[in-house]
Amino acid sequence: MALLSALGRRLRRNLVVIAGLCTLAYLILPNVVVTVFSFNKPNGRFNYEWQRFSTDAWTDPCGVADLCGSLSLSLRIALWATVGATVLGTMIAFALARYRFRSRSAVSTLIFLPMAMPEVVMAASLATLFLNMGVSFGFWTILIAHVMFCLSFVVTAVKARVMSMDPRLEQAAQDLYATPLQTFTKVTLPIAAPGIAAGALLSFALSFDDFIITNFNAGSAVTFPMYVWGAAQRGTPVQINVIGTAMFLVAVLGVLGAQLVGGRRKRS
C-alpha cells in the first residue's frame, strides 16, 4: 500500500509532464510511421504494408515522374507567398497597432476573417473571382490565393509582438538623437523580429501544405500536396515518404538550431 501511495503521489506531481510527453508522442507517431515506410520496398503499388527493408527510394528520390517537379513548384510558391505575406502583413500589423484611423475595427475584422472562414468557401470565392476576371489559372492564381490566406496569420503574430513592445525604448532612442530610420532599424525592427519570423515560418508551412485552396485555383499546375492526393488514388510511391521524412528532419534541425542559438545568446 505504501508503494502504491508513493507511486500515486509521484504520478500526481508529474501529471503535466506525463500528459505533455503523451501528447508529443501522439503528434510525432505519424512522422515515425512515414520515416519507417520510407525504407520499405512494397510488392505492389501501395506502400501501406511492410515488406522488406530497402534504401532504393532514398538513393533515387526523384525516380517517380513529376514528383520533384511538383515539389519544386510547392517550394517556389511557398517561398514567394511567405515573402509577400510577411512584407504586407508586417506593414498592416504596425498600422493596426500604432495608428488610429477611421474604420480601424472594420479593417481588423476583414484581416482576420480568412482565419475563421472555411477553406472551401475561400477557395470557391477566389476561383469565382479569377473566372469573372478572365485570369488563367496556374502559378500566379495559386500565389495570390496563398498570400491572401497567409496574410492573416502574419498580421496576428506581428501585431501581438508590436503591441507588447515598450514605447519608452523608442523614445530613448529619439532622445539620443537617433533618426526615425535609425530608431526603426536599430530598436523597433529587432524587437519585432521574433513575431515577424514566427509569421514567416507559419506562412511557409501553411502555403506548402495547403491543398483545398490550391486545388480550386491551380488549373493544370500540380503542387506537392496535389501530387500526393492524386498518387494515393493510383498507388503511393515510397519516394513520397522519403520527401516527407526529409522535410520533417529539416524542420526539426531548424528548430533545434534556433534553440541552440537562443540559448547561447541568453548565456552570453
Side-chain angles (χ1 to χ4, degrees):
M1 293 296 294
L3 179 61
L4 291 176
S5 178
L7 182 61
R9 287 196 300 271
R10 180 169 297 182
L11 287 175
R12 284 194 297 270
R13 285 198 303 267
N14 299 289
L15 185 60
V16 175
V17 177
I18 294 173
L21 291 175
C22 291
T23 304
L24 185 62
Y26 176 76
L27 293 174
I28 293 179
L29 182 60
N31 297 289
V32 174
V33 174
V34 169
T35 302
V36 170
F37 276 83
S38 69
F39 294 97
N40 186 30
K41 189 174 182 62
N43 291 329
R45 295 179 301 168
F46 295 95
N47 185 28
Y48 298 150
E49 295 183 2
W50 180 264
Q51 300 295 331
R52 57 189 182 276
F53 180 85
S54 175
T55 58
D56 293 344
W58 282 93
T59 56
D60 189 18
C62 295
V64 181
D66 299 327
L67 175 59
C68 285
S70 64
L71 176 63
S72 174
L73 178 62
S74 287
L75 290 174
R76 285 188 285 121
I77 290 174
L79 178 62
W80 286 112
T82 299
V83 173
T86 302
V87 173
L88 293 175
T90 300
M91 292 189 293
I92 294 172
F94 271 94
L96 292 175
R98 292 293 183 85
Y99 299 99
R100 299 290 183 270
F101 53 89
R102 189 174 299 176
S103 303
R104 178 169 172 265
S105 59
V107 173
S108 298
T109 303
L110 290 175
I111 289 296
F112 299 129
L113 191 61
M115 297 177 64
M117 183 184 300
E119 283 195 9
V120 67
V121 176
M122 183 186 298
S125 301
L126 286 170
T128 303
L129 175 64
F130 292 139
L131 283 172
N132 290 331
M133 295 178 62
V135 179
S136 299
F137 288 92
F139 176 87
W140 291 107
T141 54
I142 299 174
L143 180 60
I144 292 171
H146 283 205
V147 170
M148 182 175 180
F149 75 79
C150 289
L151 193 64
S152 301
F153 296 92
V154 176
V155 172
T156 302
V158 179
K159 184 182 177 183
R161 183 66 178 177
V162 173
M163 293 185 68
S164 65
M165 291 171 54
D166 189 351
R168 291 175 296 182
L169 296 175
E170 295 171 305
Q171 295 171 1
Q174 294 170 358
D175 291 340
L176 295 173
Y177 304 103
T179 63
L181 180 60
Q182 290 174 329
T183 302
F184 179 78
T185 56
K186 301 294 186 181
V187 179
T188 308
L189 189 59
I191 297 176
I196 297 173
L201 292 174
L202 187 59
S203 296
F204 185 88
L206 291 170
S207 176
F208 182 84
D209 188 55
D210 182 76
F211 172 78
I212 297 177
I213 295 177
T214 305
N215 192 41
F216 272 78
N217 299 278
S220 59
V222 178
T223 61
F224 184 67
M226 294 175 64
Y227 182 92
V228 173
W229 179 81
Q233 316 302 314
R234 306 182 302 271
T236 309
V238 184
Q239 283 80 356
I240 289 179
N241 295 66
V242 172
I243 292 177
T245 302
M247 297 293 293
F248 174 71
L249 292 177
V250 169
V252 170
L253 291 176
V255 172
L256 291 177
Q259 292 291 333
L260 290 175
V261 172
R264 289 181 178 179
R265 287 181 176 178
K266 287 182 179 179
R267 288 194 298 269
S268 60

